[in-house]
Each structure stands twice: as C-alpha cells, then as structure tokens.
Amino acid sequence: MKLHIIAANDLMISMRDRNATIFMFLLPMVLISVAGMALGGDYEQNIRIDVLVVNLDNREISEGFMEFLEEINILDVDMESNEFAARDRVKKQEYGILIIIPQDFTESIMTGQDCELMIITDPTKKDQNTVVEQIVKGYASRASTSVVAIKTMAAYGVPVHDEDRISEIVETANQFAEPPPIQVTTENTATTSRKSSPFTQYVPGFAVMFVFFTTIGTGSVSLLKEQESGTLRRLVTAPISKAEILGGKITSTFLRGFIQLTILMIFGHVVFDLYLGSDMMALTLLIATIVLASTGLGLLVAVLVTTREQAESISTMLILTMSAIGGSWWPLFMEPQFMQDLAHITITAWAMDGFHNLLYFDMGLAGILKEVQVLLLMTTIFFGVAIARFKLE
Amino acid sequence: MADYTIITVENLVKQYDGRTAVDDVSFDIKRGEIFGLLGPNGAGKSTIIAILCCLLKATSGRVTIDGFDARRDAGEIKKIIGVVPQEISLYHTLTARENLRFYGKLYGLSGNALKNRVDAVLEMAGLTDRADDRLEGYSGGMKRRINIAVALLHNPEILFLDEPSTGVDPQSRRRIYDTIQELNRQGTTILLTTHQMEDAEKLCHRIAIVDRGQLVALDTLAGLLTLVGESDLIQVMAKEIPPASVESIRQINEVQKVSVDDGSMTIQLVRGRELLTGIVDTLVSGGARVASISIKEPDLETLFLHLTGTKLRR
C-alpha cells in the first residue's frame, strides 16, 4: 500500500503553506475569543422566554400567580386583557405561549371547586413550551393543595363559608405542602450538568466551522488542484491504484481536520477553562466522526464539480449554510422548531448535539452514540456516492 | 536499435462525446528507437500517448507494450514506462529533491537506492546545486528538466514525452535534447509528441505525422522529405492579403499548395527562388502590405503542408 506516501506528501505541502496554517488555527482562535468574550457573563441569562397572560379573574390568588411568574428570571411576562386578541398574537407568533387565568379563579380555589389554567402554545417552540408548562404545573400543584384541603374540610362538615377561616386553612395546608411531603428526585445517567459559558457554544461552534473549511473547502479543492496542475495525471501513470490515490488524499484531509479540531478544543480548555467532559475517548470518537463525515462531503463536492473555482464557491456556500442553521453561530434551541428539524440534515447540527451532550451534560459515550451513528451514516453516503462517481480519465 | 517491436498500436480509435480524437491509427515502435508523433495542437497526439500510458482507455483497437496489453495489464506496463506530461506536473512549494523523493517512493524506491537515483537524475538534469530549492523559484526550463527527471527515477525501458520542449529557452532545450539522446544511447525507447519541427528533426529516428486524429505519413525524416520532392516553402508576412491575389498565385503552374492565415501566407512550390519576385509583385499590386518574405528548403513544415494542405502551427 502506498496510500501513506501520498498522505505524507499532502501533509508536507499543507505545512509549507503559512497562510493556510494561520487560517486553520489562528483565525478560529481569535474568533472564538472575540465572540465568547463579547457575549460575556452567564450564558443562560441570555435565554429569555416571552409569555403573554390574560387574567380574567384579577383577584388575590390570580394576582399572586402573576407575581410568581414575574419573579422567574427567564420569563418576560406581558399582559393582555382581551382573550381573542391574545390568541391572535400567539397565532401570529408574536408570543410563543399564552396563559389564560379563568374568571372566578380565586373564588373557585377559595370555595374548593375545580378550575383550570389554560396554556396555549405555538407548536414551533417546543422547548420553551415545555419549560413554561412545567412552571405552571408546579404552581397549579401548590394551588391544588389548598383546594383539596378546603374540599376535605367540607366533606367532614367543617363550615367553610367564613373567609377568615378559609384563609387560615389554606395557609396551614400550604405550610404542610412546602416543602412537598413527597419529594421527587431525578437522577440522570449522566453526572450533573456543567455551568454553561459562551465558550461551551463558541469553541465547538467555530472549531467545527473552521474544520469544514479544511475538510470540505481545502479537501475538495486539493483533488481538483492536482487534476488541473497535472500531478494527478502523473500519479495515475505511476504503479499505484485509484484506491490508493483516493485513500491517500482522504487520509491527509482527515488528519489535517482531526488535528485542527483537537487543537482548537484543547485551546478552549486551556485558555477559557472549557470543560471537555470526563470521557476523552468519547470526545475523540466524536471529533473523528465529524471530521470523517465532512471529509466525505468534501470529496463529494470535488467529484460533482469540474473546476477549482466551482469547488471553492460551492464548499463555502455549504459551510456557511450548515454553520448558520446547524448551530455553529448560535445555539440550536434559539431557532424555530422547523429550522431545528431542518438543521439535522447537516453535519453541524449532529456535531453540535454531540458536543452539547459531552461538554454540558457530560453524558459520555452513551450520550453520543446516536450522533456518532448518524455521522457515520452520512460518511458512508458521501464516500459511497463520491467514489462511485470518481473518474481518473 | 534492435528489431524487437516493443510497442504495437493496432487500429486505435478514441471517441469523446461523439467526437473522434484518434481515428484508426496503427504503428509499431522498435526497442531503442526514438519515435516522434508530429502534428499541430489538437491533432490527437496527446490522446494517443495517454492511451499508451494507460491513462485513457481506447474506444477500440489494441495497444501492446513489451507484450503486455494496455487494457488488461496496465499495472505491469506502468512499471516499465516513464511519462513526462506536457504540463509541469510537480509540487511547486516543495524542493526538487522532495518532489523526486515522493515520486521515487511511488515507484517502490527506498533507502539508499532512492537516494542514489535522486542524485543521479538531479545530475542528469544539471540541477544538483539547486536540489534543495523550492520549485517556485525555478525558471520554466529548470522546472521542465525536473519534470523529465521524475520520469527517469525508476530507469524505465520506455519513455513517453509529451511536447518536451514547449515553452523552454534555447539552453534548456539543448539540455533536454542531450538528455533524450543520452537516454536513448543507454537503450531507452522513446516516444515523443511534438508540434515543433526542430524536436522531430533533431531527435527522431522515425516520425509519424498526425492530423485530425489520423496518421497521414510515417517514415524516417529522409524518407518523408522525398514525398515533397524539390519543393520550396515561401512564407509571406503581410497585411490585407487580397483573395484575388491568392487565387492568382494558386493558378501558377509551379505552385502546389497555398495556405493563408491571419497576416501570413505559406506557399509550397517548385523553383521558388525564380518565382519569388513574381509572387511578391502579385501581392503588392493587389494591395497587400508585405512586411517580410522568407524562402525555405524542404522540411517537415513543407511536408506537413504538402500532406494536409494546412500549416503545422495553426
């Protein structure tokens, strides 16, 4: 096998190109630093959920519920008096979520009657809806304690018409309910999630984007460059197979990408204290599959176009599009649900999911198996089509 | 030169997208021969050489090299041939030595054998003192010498050279000629394509003339020149050559062929020196502004015009 001779030669040529080295390492390091520091502070504080509330009750308990919502940091609570207008605003996606407090909400609780809080959601904002639903359910659970207490009293013939008496009972019931007598403790298979910083997003985000410039950009151009300069023709006349030529080119591109992504992650760890997870093997596997899939895409671009200029423009367009929708520039959850779904046709989205599971949740190998499988499937498809279409004539 | 036929080309055809680039070409090459394929750009020479080097597959016909079939035994053929492509097929950011070492390894050389062969071909190219300089600092002629040196690393039995002297200075051209002749003296069979008459005239034992994919003549230089007899070639550089004057010149009995390009006119004729004045008069009186006139003895250019009715450098 002479594959390693071609790979080594390719690596030597790329090391001679000082500009390419700066582009591979220095530029992403500068961008990561600037973007991370510009965002600053606690990254989670930047996540806000807009909530619209229609309060048809406007009495003590509903006012208390409003105060409860307003005290939650991640919620931006706005009021709307007209229920139809409020529903319309959600339909128009001005707000992702609407809470309707029914008329007689306070009265129902005070008299021990059933009542319901209504949540109307924009289906495209699943993650935000889940968060708000959990908050409202938490509140409803506490309010239910009061209703149950009053209902129980009434069932045993204790008079509950006296408002002072009711308040006293509700207060006592709430004291028993806080903290709840039955605690629910959720234990994840992963260890506890880490404190998120802008660098948890921007180190892998920009690193992945710049690796694509190496694997898809330079990778696709490298083969066409050899074709245009005649060196590929010369390789073909040497006693070496098509598989060895392609294998050598793929190996060198893969190694460049792998080294680049590894160094950029280490840079994030050393300079910005980025947590890399506790499973280094899982991280290495994820890096390898990301680089492999993008190397395959680079080869596919090379065989689908005819000139170097075409390869450059198509790969740049692919890289920027994948980075934008796939979560390199901003977290995926900030995108509408359909965009999040669409993003998962890109290598970037799966790469970022994998990094999120390792760097934020520290889920180890088990947490990235799905991402690795999808990336390997992409690798198979890209290489399969590219090799089938590759012609040396 | 031995009698052993080392290359046989039989009824070779190559078509691209319905266009015939090589049209039923047949020839043999003996071991130790320098064989030239002469023709203008686009005549099909490079396609023929690409098929012989196993770079392209023929549409039909058969190529045998040292007993190996080009379609079936490409791997065996590649071991005994060296190929010098028309373009400089080298890595310009690497040094000459690094380029040679890389290609040497592809041919299975390693260790001392690799080092010795790299030194030997650098010596042959006359570039030992520049061996560790990057090629981007080399002149065109120096790059072309390294381009040839790469093909010699594994001591090939047969060397294919595609337009070896295109775009080089006279000094490098002389060096390239010396190298080719020295290799041939050592027993290497050489097939070169060229559109430069000088290459064919100075180097080749036999010359095949190719035009529009077809082989129009094949012989030694002397043999080919007998085809044009005592013809001379008059070349006139002139502006505004009137078609009526061209027609008048064509009507002269001694004139065999006339070819007119933008700003030049080539006339093949017998007794050229005697008729020169009359031809110039015809052109000037017709309104042509004559810039220069030259008259040549029969050569390959004359022959090419004679055989194809067109100039070699079109």
mmCIF file of all heavy atoms in Angstrom, chain A residues 42-82:
data_model
loop_
_atom_site.group_PDB
_atom_site.id
_atom_site.type_symbol
_atom_site.label_atom_id
_atom_site.label_comp_id
_atom_site.label_asym_id
_atom_site.label_seq_id
_atom_site.Cartn_x
_atom_site.Cartn_y
_atom_site.Cartn_z
ATOM 1 N N ASP A 42 -23.001 35.134 32.421
ATOM 2 C CA ASP A 42 -23.579 33.794 32.433
ATOM 3 C C ASP A 42 -24.418 33.636 31.174
ATOM 4 O O ASP A 42 -25.343 34.383 30.926
ATOM 5 C CB ASP A 42 -24.442 33.622 33.689
ATOM 6 C CG ASP A 42 -24.908 32.183 33.826
ATOM 7 O OD1 ASP A 42 -24.860 31.420 32.850
ATOM 8 O OD2 ASP A 42 -25.332 31.850 34.931
ATOM 9 N N TYR A 43 -24.083 32.641 30.391
ATOM 10 C CA TYR A 43 -24.714 32.449 29.104
ATOM 11 C C TYR A 43 -26.217 32.239 29.233
ATOM 12 O O TYR A 43 -26.988 32.715 28.423
ATOM 13 C CB TYR A 43 -24.065 31.245 28.448
ATOM 14 C CG TYR A 43 -24.382 31.125 27.009
ATOM 15 C CD1 TYR A 43 -24.111 32.173 26.131
ATOM 16 C CD2 TYR A 43 -24.935 29.960 26.507
ATOM 17 C CE1 TYR A 43 -24.380 32.062 24.793
ATOM 18 C CE2 TYR A 43 -25.205 29.844 25.166
ATOM 19 C CZ TYR A 43 -24.927 30.896 24.321
ATOM 20 O OH TYR A 43 -25.202 30.763 22.995
ATOM 21 N N GLU A 44 -26.639 31.568 30.342
ATOM 22 C CA GLU A 44 -28.061 31.246 30.481
ATOM 23 C C GLU A 44 -28.918 32.491 30.659
ATOM 24 O O GLU A 44 -30.094 32.492 30.355
ATOM 25 C CB GLU A 44 -28.258 30.298 31.660
ATOM 26 C CG GLU A 44 -27.889 28.873 31.280
ATOM 27 C CD GLU A 44 -27.866 27.975 32.492
ATOM 28 O OE1 GLU A 44 -27.361 28.397 33.533
ATOM 29 O OE2 GLU A 44 -28.366 26.861 32.381
ATOM 30 N N GLN A 45 -28.308 33.561 31.174
ATOM 31 C CA GLN A 45 -29.086 34.780 31.365
ATOM 32 C C GLN A 45 -29.570 35.365 30.049
ATOM 33 O O GLN A 45 -30.459 36.180 30.011
ATOM 34 C CB GLN A 45 -28.230 35.817 32.102
ATOM 35 C CG GLN A 45 -28.086 35.506 33.572
ATOM 36 C CD GLN A 45 -27.167 36.476 34.257
ATOM 37 O OE1 GLN A 45 -26.620 37.365 33.652
ATOM 38 N NE2 GLN A 45 -26.997 36.279 35.555
ATOM 39 N N ASN A 46 -28.980 34.940 29.009
ATOM 40 C CA ASN A 46 -29.368 35.467 27.716
ATOM 41 C C ASN A 46 -30.542 34.714 27.102
ATOM 42 O O ASN A 46 -30.989 35.046 26.029
ATOM 43 C CB ASN A 46 -28.177 35.416 26.772
ATOM 44 C CG ASN A 46 -27.114 36.386 27.233
ATOM 45 O OD1 ASN A 46 -27.323 37.584 27.217
ATOM 46 N ND2 ASN A 46 -26.014 35.838 27.709
ATOM 47 N N ILE A 47 -30.982 33.647 27.776
ATOM 48 C CA ILE A 47 -32.109 32.892 27.242
ATOM 49 C C ILE A 47 -33.384 33.455 27.867
ATOM 50 O O ILE A 47 -33.563 33.424 29.078
ATOM 51 C CB ILE A 47 -31.963 31.398 27.586
ATOM 52 C CG1 ILE A 47 -30.627 30.888 27.047
ATOM 53 C CG2 ILE A 47 -33.111 30.594 27.044
ATOM 54 C CD1 ILE A 47 -30.204 29.572 27.657
ATOM 55 N N ARG A 48 -34.264 34.011 27.077
ATOM 56 C CA ARG A 48 -35.491 34.627 27.575
ATOM 57 C C ARG A 48 -36.690 33.993 26.872
ATOM 58 O O ARG A 48 -36.621 33.646 25.693
ATOM 59 C CB ARG A 48 -35.511 36.138 27.273
ATOM 60 C CG ARG A 48 -34.259 36.889 27.661
ATOM 61 C CD ARG A 48 -34.075 36.988 29.141
ATOM 62 N NE ARG A 48 -35.196 37.623 29.822
ATOM 63 C CZ ARG A 48 -35.264 37.731 31.161
ATOM 64 N NH1 ARG A 48 -34.295 37.215 31.914
ATOM 65 N NH2 ARG A 48 -36.283 38.319 31.736
ATOM 66 N N ILE A 49 -37.754 33.837 27.649
ATOM 67 C CA ILE A 49 -38.990 33.306 27.055
ATOM 68 C C ILE A 49 -40.086 34.351 27.254
ATOM 69 O O ILE A 49 -40.360 34.786 28.374
ATOM 70 C CB ILE A 49 -39.419 31.973 27.722
ATOM 71 C CG1 ILE A 49 -38.273 30.946 27.591
ATOM 72 C CG2 ILE A 49 -40.696 31.428 27.105
ATOM 73 C CD1 ILE A 49 -38.505 29.652 28.362
ATOM 74 N N ASP A 50 -40.697 34.756 26.130
ATOM 75 C CA ASP A 50 -41.794 35.735 26.202
ATOM 76 C C ASP A 50 -43.104 35.010 26.474
ATOM 77 O O ASP A 50 -43.469 34.075 25.755
ATOM 78 C CB ASP A 50 -41.904 36.492 24.871
ATOM 79 C CG ASP A 50 -40.702 37.400 24.678
ATOM 80 O OD1 ASP A 50 -40.204 37.931 25.679
ATOM 81 O OD2 ASP A 50 -40.263 37.564 23.523
ATOM 82 N N VAL A 51 -43.803 35.452 27.542
ATOM 83 C CA VAL A 51 -45.074 34.816 27.920
ATOM 84 C C VAL A 51 -46.156 35.897 27.966
ATOM 85 O O VAL A 51 -45.943 36.983 28.508
ATOM 86 C CB VAL A 51 -44.964 34.161 29.321
ATOM 87 C CG1 VAL A 51 -46.287 33.512 29.716
ATOM 88 C CG2 VAL A 51 -43.859 33.122 29.336
ATOM 89 N N LEU A 52 -47.288 35.579 27.357
ATOM 90 C CA LEU A 52 -48.425 36.513 27.402
ATOM 91 C C LEU A 52 -49.471 35.935 28.354
ATOM 92 O O LEU A 52 -49.745 34.734 28.315
ATOM 93 C CB LEU A 52 -49.004 36.656 25.983
ATOM 94 C CG LEU A 52 -50.047 37.730 25.769
ATOM 95 C CD1 LEU A 52 -49.484 39.112 26.090
ATOM 96 C CD2 LEU A 52 -50.559 37.700 24.337
ATOM 97 N N VAL A 53 -50.022 36.788 29.216
ATOM 98 C CA VAL A 53 -51.006 36.297 30.197
ATOM 99 C C VAL A 53 -52.303 37.111 30.082
ATOM 100 O O VAL A 53 -52.266 38.334 29.969
ATOM 101 C CB VAL A 53 -50.460 36.415 31.644
ATOM 102 C CG1 VAL A 53 -51.489 35.903 32.655
ATOM 103 C CG2 VAL A 53 -49.149 35.633 31.786
ATOM 104 N N VAL A 54 -53.414 36.373 30.055
ATOM 105 C CA VAL A 54 -54.725 37.036 30.130
ATOM 106 C C VAL A 54 -55.309 36.677 31.502
ATOM 107 O O VAL A 54 -55.523 35.500 31.801
ATOM 108 C CB VAL A 54 -55.671 36.542 29.008
ATOM 109 C CG1 VAL A 54 -57.062 37.144 29.184
ATOM 110 C CG2 VAL A 54 -55.104 36.888 27.651
ATOM 111 N N ASN A 55 -55.513 37.691 32.325
ATOM 112 C CA ASN A 55 -56.054 37.445 33.669
ATOM 113 C C ASN A 55 -57.515 37.882 33.688
ATOM 114 O O ASN A 55 -57.835 39.061 33.741
ATOM 115 C CB ASN A 55 -55.232 38.225 34.703
ATOM 116 C CG ASN A 55 -55.612 37.836 36.128
ATOM 117 O OD1 ASN A 55 -56.598 37.096 36.330
ATOM 118 N ND2 ASN A 55 -54.864 38.322 37.114
ATOM 119 N N LEU A 56 -58.424 36.894 33.608
ATOM 120 C CA LEU A 56 -59.859 37.207 33.583
ATOM 121 C C LEU A 56 -60.432 37.251 35.001
ATOM 122 O O LEU A 56 -61.615 37.506 35.183
ATOM 123 C CB LEU A 56 -60.603 36.156 32.754
ATOM 124 C CG LEU A 56 -60.167 36.039 31.285
ATOM 125 C CD1 LEU A 56 -60.845 34.849 30.605
ATOM 126 C CD2 LEU A 56 -60.469 37.316 30.516
ATOM 127 N N ASP A 57 -59.575 37.003 35.973
ATOM 128 C CA ASP A 57 -60.022 36.930 37.372
ATOM 129 C C ASP A 57 -59.726 38.234 38.112
ATOM 130 O O ASP A 57 -60.616 38.849 38.688
ATOM 131 C CB ASP A 57 -59.310 35.745 38.033
ATOM 132 C CG ASP A 57 -59.667 35.582 39.482
ATOM 133 O OD1 ASP A 57 -60.870 35.520 39.782
ATOM 134 O OD2 ASP A 57 -58.734 35.520 40.323
ATOM 135 N N ASN A 58 -58.438 38.611 38.062
ATOM 136 C CA ASN A 58 -57.991 39.856 38.693
ATOM 137 C C ASN A 58 -58.300 39.941 40.184
ATOM 138 O O ASN A 58 -58.691 40.997 40.694
ATOM 139 C CB ASN A 58 -58.612 41.083 37.981
ATOM 140 C CG ASN A 58 -57.910 41.349 36.658
ATOM 141 O OD1 ASN A 58 -56.680 41.240 36.587
ATOM 142 N ND2 ASN A 58 -58.668 41.642 35.621
ATOM 143 N N ARG A 59 -58.150 38.845 40.922
ATOM 144 C CA ARG A 59 -58.315 38.885 42.384
ATOM 145 C C ARG A 59 -57.054 38.345 43.049
ATOM 146 O O ARG A 59 -56.062 38.051 42.360
ATOM 147 C CB ARG A 59 -59.557 38.075 42.792
ATOM 148 C CG ARG A 59 -60.853 38.813 42.410
ATOM 149 C CD ARG A 59 -62.064 38.077 42.897
ATOM 150 N NE ARG A 59 -62.045 37.849 44.342
ATOM 151 C CZ ARG A 59 -62.820 36.963 44.964
ATOM 152 N NH1 ARG A 59 -63.679 36.241 44.250
ATOM 153 N NH2 ARG A 59 -62.755 36.792 46.266
ATOM 154 N N GLU A 60 -57.090 38.181 44.386
ATOM 155 C CA GLU A 60 -55.857 37.931 45.138
ATOM 156 C C GLU A 60 -55.010 36.770 44.599
ATOM 157 O O GLU A 60 -53.795 36.916 44.365
ATOM 158 C CB GLU A 60 -56.155 37.615 46.615
ATOM 159 C CG GLU A 60 -57.034 38.587 47.355
ATOM 160 C CD GLU A 60 -58.512 38.234 47.244
ATOM 161 O OE1 GLU A 60 -59.062 38.381 46.128
ATOM 162 O OE2 GLU A 60 -59.118 37.809 48.242
ATOM 163 N N ILE A 61 -55.671 35.594 44.392
ATOM 164 C CA ILE A 61 -54.865 34.420 44.046
ATOM 165 C C ILE A 61 -54.287 34.546 42.639
ATOM 166 O O ILE A 61 -53.111 34.234 42.396
ATOM 167 C CB ILE A 61 -55.687 33.129 44.223
ATOM 168 C CG1 ILE A 61 -56.017 32.974 45.722
ATOM 169 C CG2 ILE A 61 -54.915 31.899 43.706
ATOM 170 C CD1 ILE A 61 -56.808 31.745 46.089
ATOM 171 N N SER A 62 -55.072 35.063 41.691
ATOM 172 C CA SER A 62 -54.543 35.216 40.329
ATOM 173 C C SER A 62 -53.437 36.274 40.302
ATOM 174 O O SER A 62 -52.451 36.136 39.572
ATOM 175 C CB SER A 62 -55.659 35.560 39.344
ATOM 176 O OG SER A 62 -56.294 36.756 39.725
ATOM 177 N N GLU A 63 -53.608 37.344 41.122
ATOM 178 C CA GLU A 63 -52.549 38.364 41.204
ATOM 179 C C GLU A 63 -51.266 37.716 41.754
ATOM 180 O O GLU A 63 -50.159 38.008 41.299
ATOM 181 C CB GLU A 63 -52.972 39.521 42.138
ATOM 182 C CG GLU A 63 -54.179 40.326 41.651
ATOM 183 C CD GLU A 63 -53.887 41.148 40.407
ATOM 184 O OE1 GLU A 63 -52.704 41.285 40.065
ATOM 185 O OE2 GLU A 63 -54.845 41.608 39.763
ATOM 186 N N GLY A 64 -51.473 36.831 42.743
ATOM 187 C CA GLY A 64 -50.318 36.125 43.325
ATOM 188 C C GLY A 64 -49.615 35.260 42.278
ATOM 189 O O GLY A 64 -48.380 35.186 42.225
ATOM 190 N N PHE A 65 -50.417 34.635 41.415
ATOM 191 C CA PHE A 65 -49.858 33.805 40.345
ATOM 192 C C PHE A 65 -49.032 34.670 39.375
ATOM 193 O O PHE A 65 -47.936 34.293 38.939
ATOM 194 C CB PHE A 65 -50.996 33.080 39.616
ATOM 195 C CG PHE A 65 -50.544 32.258 38.443
ATOM 196 C CD1 PHE A 65 -49.462 31.364 38.544
ATOM 197 C CD2 PHE A 65 -51.193 32.356 37.213
ATOM 198 C CE1 PHE A 65 -49.049 30.599 37.455
ATOM 199 C CE2 PHE A 65 -50.780 31.597 36.120
ATOM 200 C CZ PHE A 65 -49.713 30.717 36.246
ATOM 201 N N MET A 66 -49.583 35.862 39.094
ATOM 202 C CA MET A 66 -48.859 36.787 38.204
ATOM 203 C C MET A 66 -47.504 37.161 38.806
ATOM 204 O O MET A 66 -46.490 37.189 38.107
ATOM 205 C CB MET A 66 -49.674 38.075 37.989
ATOM 206 C CG MET A 66 -50.934 37.894 37.184
ATOM 207 S SD MET A 66 -50.611 37.357 35.501
ATOM 208 C CE MET A 66 -49.585 38.696 34.948
ATOM 209 N N GLU A 67 -47.517 37.471 40.106
ATOM 210 C CA GLU A 67 -46.254 37.849 40.783
ATOM 211 C C GLU A 67 -45.260 36.685 40.718
ATOM 212 O O GLU A 67 -44.076 36.880 40.486
ATOM 213 C CB GLU A 67 -46.523 38.219 42.243
ATOM 214 C CG GLU A 67 -47.057 39.628 42.395
ATOM 215 C CD GLU A 67 -47.561 39.894 43.804
ATOM 216 O OE1 GLU A 67 -47.071 39.226 44.749
ATOM 217 O OE2 GLU A 67 -48.465 40.737 43.951
ATOM 218 N N PHE A 68 -45.828 35.473 40.924
ATOM 219 C CA PHE A 68 -44.987 34.277 40.880
ATOM 220 C C PHE A 68 -44.280 34.156 39.515
ATOM 221 O O PHE A 68 -43.078 33.899 39.422
ATOM 222 C CB PHE A 68 -45.875 33.037 41.144
ATOM 223 C CG PHE A 68 -45.243 31.721 40.807
ATOM 224 C CD1 PHE A 68 -44.293 31.149 41.658
ATOM 225 C CD2 PHE A 68 -45.596 31.028 39.639
ATOM 226 C CE1 PHE A 68 -43.719 29.916 41.351
ATOM 227 C CE2 PHE A 68 -45.012 29.811 39.335
ATOM 228 C CZ PHE A 68 -44.075 29.250 40.192
ATOM 229 N N LEU A 69 -45.044 34.396 38.436
ATOM 230 C CA LEU A 69 -44.457 34.307 37.088
ATOM 231 C C LEU A 69 -43.394 35.383 36.874
ATOM 232 O O LEU A 69 -42.333 35.136 36.303
ATOM 233 C CB LEU A 69 -45.546 34.443 36.011
ATOM 234 C CG LEU A 69 -46.550 33.294 35.875
ATOM 235 C CD1 LEU A 69 -47.615 33.632 34.830
ATOM 236 C CD2 LEU A 69 -45.859 31.983 35.483
ATOM 237 N N GLU A 70 -43.708 36.585 37.326
ATOM 238 C CA GLU A 70 -42.789 37.705 37.095
ATOM 239 C C GLU A 70 -41.460 37.543 37.829
ATOM 240 O O GLU A 70 -40.437 38.082 37.412
ATOM 241 C CB GLU A 70 -43.454 39.024 37.488
ATOM 242 C CG GLU A 70 -44.358 39.526 36.362
ATOM 243 C CD GLU A 70 -45.384 40.561 36.821
ATOM 244 O OE1 GLU A 70 -45.369 40.908 38.014
ATOM 245 O OE2 GLU A 70 -46.194 40.986 35.989
ATOM 246 N N GLU A 71 -41.528 36.775 38.933
ATOM 247 C CA GLU A 71 -40.289 36.578 39.701
ATOM 248 C C GLU A 71 -39.336 35.583 39.041
ATOM 249 O O GLU A 71 -38.168 35.484 39.410
ATOM 250 C CB GLU A 71 -40.626 36.090 41.116
ATOM 251 C CG GLU A 71 -41.008 37.243 42.033
ATOM 252 C CD GLU A 71 -41.587 36.757 43.356
ATOM 253 O OE1 GLU A 71 -41.437 35.558 43.645
ATOM 254 O OE2 GLU A 71 -42.196 37.582 44.052
ATOM 255 N N ILE A 72 -39.826 34.861 38.045
ATOM 256 C CA ILE A 72 -38.959 33.862 37.381
ATOM 257 C C ILE A 72 -38.101 34.574 36.331
ATOM 258 O O ILE A 72 -38.619 35.215 35.409
ATOM 259 C CB ILE A 72 -39.805 32.739 36.739
ATOM 260 C CG1 ILE A 72 -40.545 31.988 37.857
ATOM 261 C CG2 ILE A 72 -38.932 31.780 35.931
ATOM 262 C CD1 ILE A 72 -41.596 31.030 37.395
ATOM 263 N N ASN A 73 -36.780 34.462 36.507
ATOM 264 C CA ASN A 73 -35.819 35.246 35.714
ATOM 265 C C ASN A 73 -35.934 35.075 34.207
ATOM 266 O O ASN A 73 -35.802 36.032 33.458
ATOM 267 C CB ASN A 73 -34.382 34.886 36.122
ATOM 268 C CG ASN A 73 -34.014 35.563 37.410
ATOM 269 O OD1 ASN A 73 -34.616 36.566 37.787
ATOM 270 N ND2 ASN A 73 -33.044 35.006 38.105
ATOM 271 N N ILE A 74 -36.138 33.836 33.770
ATOM 272 C CA ILE A 74 -36.067 33.604 32.324
ATOM 273 C C ILE A 74 -37.347 34.008 31.603
ATOM 274 O O ILE A 74 -37.398 33.954 30.377
ATOM 275 C CB ILE A 74 -35.726 32.127 31.996
ATOM 276 C CG1 ILE A 74 -36.787 31.182 32.576
ATOM 277 C CG2 ILE A 74 -34.335 31.759 32.462
ATOM 278 C CD1 ILE A 74 -36.713 29.789 31.981
ATOM 279 N N LEU A 75 -38.399 34.393 32.388
ATOM 280 C CA LEU A 75 -39.667 34.740 31.744
ATOM 281 C C LEU A 75 -39.819 36.255 31.603
ATOM 282 O O LEU A 75 -39.514 37.006 32.528
ATOM 283 C CB LEU A 75 -40.855 34.197 32.542
ATOM 284 C CG LEU A 75 -40.929 32.682 32.755
ATOM 285 C CD1 LEU A 75 -42.230 32.314 33.485
ATOM 286 C CD2 LEU A 75 -40.847 31.928 31.438
ATOM 287 N N ASP A 76 -40.266 36.673 30.405
ATOM 288 C CA ASP A 76 -40.677 38.061 30.193
ATOM 289 C C ASP A 76 -42.192 38.032 30.100
ATOM 290 O O ASP A 76 -42.752 37.548 29.101
ATOM 291 C CB ASP A 76 -40.093 38.601 28.886
ATOM 292 C CG ASP A 76 -38.679 39.114 29.097
ATOM 293 O OD1 ASP A 76 -38.352 39.455 30.250
ATOM 294 O OD2 ASP A 76 -37.905 39.144 28.119
ATOM 295 N N VAL A 77 -42.873 38.514 31.159
ATOM 296 C CA VAL A 77 -44.333 38.365 31.219
ATOM 297 C C VAL A 77 -45.017 39.656 30.762
ATOM 298 O O VAL A 77 -44.690 40.739 31.227
ATOM 299 C CB VAL A 77 -44.791 38.023 32.660
ATOM 300 C CG1 VAL A 77 -46.307 37.825 32.717
ATOM 301 C CG2 VAL A 77 -44.066 36.774 33.144
ATOM 302 N N ASP A 78 -45.920 39.508 29.796
ATOM 303 C CA ASP A 78 -46.726 40.648 29.331
ATOM 304 C C ASP A 78 -48.193 40.318 29.558
ATOM 305 O O ASP A 78 -48.587 39.152 29.559
ATOM 306 C CB ASP A 78 -46.481 40.899 27.842
ATOM 307 C CG ASP A 78 -45.100 41.486 27.614
ATOM 308 O OD1 ASP A 78 -44.629 42.243 28.483
ATOM 309 O OD2 ASP A 78 -44.475 41.153 26.576
ATOM 310 N N MET A 79 -49.004 41.387 29.725
ATOM 311 C CA MET A 79 -50.436 41.201 29.988
ATOM 312 C C MET A 79 -51.247 41.577 28.740
ATOM 313 O O MET A 79 -50.844 42.425 27.967
ATOM 314 C CB MET A 79 -50.889 42.114 31.134
ATOM 315 C CG MET A 79 -50.215 41.832 32.463
ATOM 316 S SD MET A 79 -50.757 40.285 33.169
ATOM 317 C CE MET A 79 -52.496 40.625 33.449
ATOM 318 N N GLU A 80 -52.380 40.922 28.649
ATOM 319 C CA GLU A 80 -53.319 41.277 27.566
ATOM 320 C C GLU A 80 -54.706 41.088 28.166
ATOM 321 O O GLU A 80 -54.993 40.064 28.784
ATOM 322 C CB GLU A 80 -53.074 40.343 26.355
ATOM 323 C CG GLU A 80 -54.099 40.404 25.257
ATOM 324 C CD GLU A 80 -54.159 41.739 24.538
ATOM 325 O OE1 GLU A 80 -53.149 42.141 23.941
ATOM 326 O OE2 GLU A 80 -55.218 42.413 24.622
ATOM 327 N N SER A 81 -55.584 42.078 27.984
ATOM 328 C CA SER A 81 -56.886 41.976 28.641
ATOM 329 C C SER A 81 -57.881 41.178 27.807
ATOM 330 O O SER A 81 -58.776 40.536 28.340
ATOM 331 C CB SER A 81 -57.424 43.381 28.934
ATOM 332 O OG SER A 81 -57.402 44.127 27.742
ATOM 333 N N ASN A 82 -57.702 41.214 26.472
ATOM 334 C CA ASN A 82 -58.666 40.558 25.597
ATOM 335 C C ASN A 82 -58.182 39.174 25.183
ATOM 336 O O ASN A 82 -57.124 39.026 24.575
ATOM 337 C CB ASN A 82 -58.859 41.445 24.348
ATOM 338 C CG ASN A 82 -59.933 40.904 23.429
ATOM 339 O OD1 ASN A 82 -59.931 39.714 23.101
ATOM 340 N ND2 ASN A 82 -60.828 41.786 23.038
#
